[in-house]
Amino acid sequence: MPSAGGEADLAVKGLIDFLKSVPLFQKLSSDSLEALVGRCVLQRFEVGETVLEENVEGGALYLVFSGEVEVSKLGDKGQYVLFNRLNSMDYFGEMSIMTGEATAARITAATPCEIIVISREDFDEILSRYPEIYQHLAITLSSRLRHT
């Protein structure tokens, strides 16, 4: 039976492997990814739980580690309208942490899911050390704006 330390080491390795597979972080070194994992918070959500509200201050980048979330916006008739689904390796919250504006959509768990949360401060530090990440963010932002 593995020790608690061994299980923690496996969890860290799993998060590092996951982040390596996310296009946004593929250029980061293993040491940088390990440092980043130390700042990540893993949150679990059940079906229907709100992960992030629309029109609130965005203070983090969110990565879907497992499961699926729904992206919706409040429509003209006062009901939320679904306009996208995000799965493992997708991320959200980048628009508000880049612009400082309120979040543009509500994110709800469509399945049981695990979300990695990286605070604005930690993400800003990553961007200052790896400015090439801006290029990937710009492509993602442009694509999302075209589809809204």
Side-chain angles (χ1 to χ4, degrees), residues 56-125:
V56 297
E57 181 182 339
L61 177 73
Y62 301 83
L63 297 119
V64 181
F65 183 64
S66 67
E68 184 176 73
V69 297
E70 295 179 336
V71 182
S72 57
K73 291 183 67 85
L74 194 58
D76 295 337
K77 297 180 180 179
Q79 294 186 345
Y80 279 93
V81 178
L82 176 68
F83 69 90
N84 200 3
R85 288 179 175 262
L86 302 175
N87 300 292
S88 182
M89 290 194 284
D90 288 328
Y91 55 89
F92 55 94
E94 76 286 348
M95 291 168 71
S96 62
I97 64 170
M98 297 294 293
T99 66
E101 295 178 6
T103 55
R106 180 171 83 173
I107 311 297
T108 308
T111 66
C113 59
E114 295 177 304
I115 307 293
I116 296 171
V117 182
I118 303 171
S119 74
R120 176 192 307 253
E121 294 80 19
D122 290 334
F123 191 66
D124 284 346
E125 183 180 324

Side-chain angles (χ1 to χ4, degrees), residues 43 45-54 105-109:
Q43 296 182 343
F45 296 88
E46 295 302 321
V47 174
E49 279 190 271
T50 300
V51 178
L52 183 64
E53 282 291 350
E54 181 178 7
R106 180 171 83 173
I107 311 297
T108 308

